[in-house]
Amino acid sequence: MSLLEFCIFYIVVPLVKVVVVLTAVSLWIAMLILAERKVIGWIQVRMGPIRVGFRGLLQPFADLFKLLAKEDLNPTQVNKFIFFIAPILCFVPAFTAFAVIPWGPESKFWGTVWNWIFGVLGLDIEIGPVPYYISDVNIGILFILAISSLGIFGILLGGWASNSKYPLLGGLRSAAQMISYEVPLGFAVVGALMMAGSLSMVKIIESQQAFGWSFLWIQPLGFFLYYVAMVAETNRLPFDLPEAENELVAGFHTEYSGLKFMFFFFAEYANIVLVSAVATTLFLGGWLPPFHGFISEDSFLYMIPAPLWFVGKICFLLYSFLWVRGTFPRYRYDQLMRLGWKWFIPLAIVNVLCIGLNIIIRKQAGWPEIAMIPLGIAEIVIIAVFVYAWWVIRGKKDESYYKAII
Amino acid sequence: MSRITKLLYKFLLIDLIKGLSVTQRYFFAKRFTSQYPKERLEVKSRVDDKNRWNEEGRYRGFIMLRLDPDSGEELCTGCGLCMRACPDDCITVENEKRPEGKKRRHKTFVLDFQRCMFCDLCVEACPTQALYTSDIYEMAVYDRKDLVHDLDTLYKGPEVKRYKK
């Protein structure tokens, strides 16, 4: 491989992909912000923003310019350096993690496009199929978990550096919440990883393709745990304790304004897209068409480009975020902690155990893959029976207390 | 509900799904917002300027003076009963003799909407039904002086400025 080929394959092509993905994700986030205001408006029988552009389509850009034009305010009591660096700490990891999101498989089409561009430029090189994803790290999911956890430092430091009561409380709460919900989130991910047998995001989807089923059908409990944990991770309603408006003004970003606030805002929405993308990869079958086990390979559903399926599934999850926000009231802080520690962590551990058992039983008995679904259902029933038994035993002692738990 | 059903409700998250379905229904419902300067909702007063009774009308808007619908002459006799009925003391009436006929008529009629609370007592007090509450609700002005209306505007109604934005 010549130096030119090396430069083009490992620098130019990935850089182009990085630029495309970053631009697309930023635009997507802008549209998500608009969609949130619209959907919440519609749920509340309002109209949402309709003034800027066609039916308010340019509203996020108007917001952006407003935030850019605002004075960059530094309160006198803040720790200047940390106050400055906290939004960046929040923003950068949220976008970094998009590097390993598998938007689609290797595509011959883009390979041809690149080859055509090389031909036009008069270069004598050939490139094979170009994948849609930027990179396929063999510890992809671990990378995402590690990077997205870094974003919490931004929230924490922002809350602390503001040197004010509300941000400090918001930062504390967010720290506690992240620690509580990172554990069930991790365990829920482990369930999917055991099925896939790999940490690479691409391999996880490929294993679902080979398996014939999305992991959602085999471990609905795992998906449910992951879903609730991811809502809690991104500080969204009904778990938005760190920025509860009627308690903490705006939580950790109370003292922030202008561009710095925008960084926090964008990071929050980038994180929402990110966790939805991870959920899609792990449980919903990624770029594969829905119900891919049931339809044949030459079905028209396979004609639609893979990234569209991926984005569509993420959009579905994003809509569910907004829907849940428009429906449920906020949890009380102790209820949040109880739910996390007393229900989700035990359930997540039991879920991992059950999936392990499931895999072993199936392999030992030599049953086909489809046997995992009845086995999974049986496990959920067993869990339910155990929880019910526990309920009955403990409920006799002090019913009112345990009623308050749920 | 038996204990098992309760448990099933909790495990299958029935209550949460019920809540979600309610919001989803409202998501597709007709929007309630009316874009005010563009679309103006109709309000109905109880009587119109021809003294016709409106069964559904309940709105008490700008208080206006009425002409006799048949003969077209002024109904107000300037008796000052509305002035005395007004709890806010915002009506000032003076009367004079009419050029023809026995009746008297108003010389000045000043209604100060700065203090008026649209209680309708002046309308009820009026023996000739010269006063009525109309359906006009766009009375906002930039100057407090403009809220003091006299005979010119009390017959025509206030000048409604239509702003573009």
Side-chain angles (χ1 to χ4, degrees):
Chain A
M1 187 185 281
S2 71
L3 184 66
L4 182 69
E5 279 183 335
F6 180 84
C7 282
I8 284 186
F9 290 172
Y10 291 98
I11 295 172
V12 175
V13 175
L15 264 183
V16 168
K17 279 198 275 191
V18 165
V19 169
V20 168
V21 166
L22 270 186
T23 322
V25 168
S26 306
L27 275 177
W28 195 3
I29 289 166
M31 283 301 129
L32 174 62
I33 292 168
L34 173 69
E36 166 154 45
R37 295 174 65 177
K38 283 297 235 187
V39 168
I40 298 293
W42 288 338
I43 283 175
Q44 294 165 357
V45 211
R46 294 186 284 113
M47 282 174 168
I50 56 166
R51 293 280 158 178
V52 193
F54 176 70
R55 303 208 170 187
L57 269 180
L58 296 177
Q59 184 69 42
F61 303 104
D63 291 347
L64 175 74
F65 288 123
K66 186 203 83 174
L67 286 172
L68 283 175
K70 270 180 113 171
E71 186 192 353
D72 191 21
L73 206 69
N74 270 323
T76 44
Q77 302 292 315
V78 300
N79 183 329
K80 286 244 167 57
F81 177 67
I82 301 179
F83 191 74
F84 172 74
I85 209 153
I88 303 169
L89 264 180
C90 203
F91 181 77
V92 172
F95 275 85
T96 313
F98 280 100
V100 293
I101 296 297
W103 302 100
E106 291 188 332
S107 123
K108 283 190 186 122
F109 172 72
W110 290 108
T112 345
V113 170
W114 275 110
N115 283 334
W116 178 76
I117 291 171
F118 297 149
V120 168
L121 293 175
L123 300 170
D124 186 27
I125 43 179
E126 283 269 318
I127 196 167
V130 178
Y132 281 102
Y133 45 84
I134 296 173
S135 67
D136 176 26
V137 190
N138 56 0
I139 52 157
I141 185 73
L142 205 59
F143 174 77
I144 287 179
L145 285 181
I147 287 289
S148 63
S149 308
L150 275 181
I152 300 157
F153 280 103
I155 293 177
L156 256 178
L157 290 177
W160 182 81
S162 296
N163 200 2
S164 162
K165 289 178 195 71
Y166 290 132
L168 183 66
L169 275 174
L172 271 176
R173 280 183 176 192
S174 99
Q177 187 174 327
M178 297 291 172
I179 291 167
S180 316
Y181 280 87
E182 200 102 312
V183 183
L185 184 100
F187 275 117
V189 166
V190 164
L193 297 184
M194 281 159 67
M195 302 278 303
S198 168
L199 284 167
S200 148
M201 298 290 268
V202 176
K203 290 265 170 53
I204 289 169
I205 295 177
E206 277 168 358
S207 75
Q208 289 182 65
Q209 189 165 21
F211 199 74
W213 295 78
S214 300
F215 290 158
L216 168 66
W217 306 111
I218 293 144
Q219 36 177 329
L221 181 64
F223 177 68
F224 174 71
L225 290 173
Y226 182 85
Y227 184 83
V228 179
M230 85 180 182
V231 175
E233 275 292 285
T234 48
N235 298 333
R236 298 284 300 176
L237 270 159
F239 304 107
D240 69 336
L241 271 299
E243 40 193 314
E245 293 93 347
N246 36 15
E247 298 166 28
L248 298 180
V249 188
F252 60 89
H253 57 65
T254 306
E255 304 286 348
Y256 282 91
S257 67
L259 201 58
K260 289 186 196 137
F261 169 72
M262 195 185 77
F263 270 63
F264 271 129
F265 200 61
F266 252 64
E268 186 186 331
Y269 284 85
N271 271 322
I272 292 169
V273 177
L274 180 71
V275 287
S276 305
V278 174
T280 310
T281 314
L282 291 178
F283 295 102
L284 300 185
W287 66 65
L288 304 166
F291 308 108
H292 59 89
F294 301 97
I295 53 175
S296 66
E297 284 284 327
D298 48 349
S299 156
F300 73 97
L301 289 177
Y302 278 94
M303 305 289 282
I304 295 164
L308 283 187
W309 282 123
F310 197 81
V311 168
K313 284 172 182 179
I314 294 177
C315 284
F316 175 73
L317 282 178
L318 292 178
Y319 174 70
S320 77
F321 262 93
L322 309 182
W323 189 10
V324 163
R325 186 191 156 178
T327 308
F328 298 131
R330 185 180 301 124
Y331 266 73
R332 215 170 52 208
Y333 193 63
D334 58 324
Q335 288 172 333
L336 176 89
M337 284 296 152
R338 251 187 234 152
L339 190 75
W341 290 100
K342 285 191 171 175
W343 285 96
F344 274 40
I345 293 178
L347 269 181
I349 293 172
V350 171
N351 183 45
V352 169
L353 283 176
C354 282
I355 287 171
L357 267 177
N358 201 332
I359 294 168
I360 290 173
I361 290 172
R362 188 179 66 83
K363 279 200 177 144
Q364 291 293 321
W367 289 338
E369 276 105 5
I370 204 165
M372 291 198 84
I373 290 170
L375 280 175
I377 292 168
E379 278 150 14
I380 288 177
V381 170
I382 291 166
I383 293 171
V385 167
F386 270 102
V387 174
Y388 181 60
W390 176 81
W391 190 311
V392 170
I393 295 162
R394 306 307 296 259
K396 272 174 191 162
K397 282 180 183 165
D398 185 2
E399 201 159 20
S400 63
Y401 174 73
Y402 287 99
K403 260 182 195 162
I405 282 182
I406 300 186
Chain B
M1 233 192 307
S2 74
R3 209 161 177 184
I4 296 278
T5 350
K6 263 187 201 166
L7 192 81
L8 273 180
Y9 261 60
K10 253 160 206 170
F11 262 89
L12 301 175
L13 309 172
I14 302 287
D15 295 329
L16 300 190
I17 290 166
K18 270 185 190 166
L20 286 170
S21 71
V22 167
T23 43
Q24 192 61 59
R25 248 199 330 276
Y26 277 100
F27 181 83
F28 294 117
K30 195 177 173 294
R31 317 274 166 255
F32 208 76
T33 318
S34 73
Q35 299 288 317
Y36 162 62
K38 275 188 188 170
E39 43 177 307
R40 287 151 198 274
L41 295 183
E42 254 187 49
V43 293
K44 283 175 183 165
S45 57
R46 279 182 303 183
V47 281
D48 61 2
D49 55 341
K50 299 282 190 302
N51 203 7
R52 281 179 300 221
W53 185 259
N54 191 344
E55 203 57 53
E56 299 152 22
R58 286 164 55 193
Y59 192 76
R60 302 204 295 259
F62 187 76
I63 296 165
M64 285 171 80
L65 282 169
R66 179 192 284 134
L67 293 172
D68 193 328
D70 302 326
S71 58
E73 62 183 23
E74 291 145 346
L75 278 169
C76 180
T77 55
C79 64
L81 278 177
C82 48
M83 187 166 70
R84 255 158 255 168
C86 182
D88 293 336
D89 202 14
C90 58
I91 305 178
T92 316
V93 195
E94 284 172 28
N95 57 16
E96 62 180 12
K97 211 168 176 331
R98 289 193 194 208
E100 72 270 6
K102 277 190 202 166
K103 287 188 205 161
R104 298 179 77 81
R105 59 175 249 186
H106 53 62
K107 192 169 135 203
T108 53
F109 197 109
V110 180
L111 219 168
D112 185 357
F113 278 98
Q114 285 180 73
R115 294 211 294 271
C116 181
M117 59 180 178
F118 304 92
C119 63
D120 212 28
L121 288 179
C122 52
V123 177
E124 282 172 20
C126 186
T128 56
Q129 294 172 336
L131 277 169
Y132 73 105
T133 44
S134 65
D135 56 1
I136 298 168
Y137 55 89
E138 285 159 320
M139 282 178 280
V141 287
Y142 278 114
D143 197 328
R144 288 173 58 167
K145 273 183 283 183
D146 297 343
L147 280 172
V148 183
H149 288 274
D150 57 9
L151 280 171
D152 294 339
T153 43
L154 283 175
Y155 275 109
K156 282 188 298 190
E159 196 182 323
V160 179
K161 283 175 191 160
R162 299 274 155 120
Y163 298 100
K164 277 196 171 172
K165 270 197 174 176

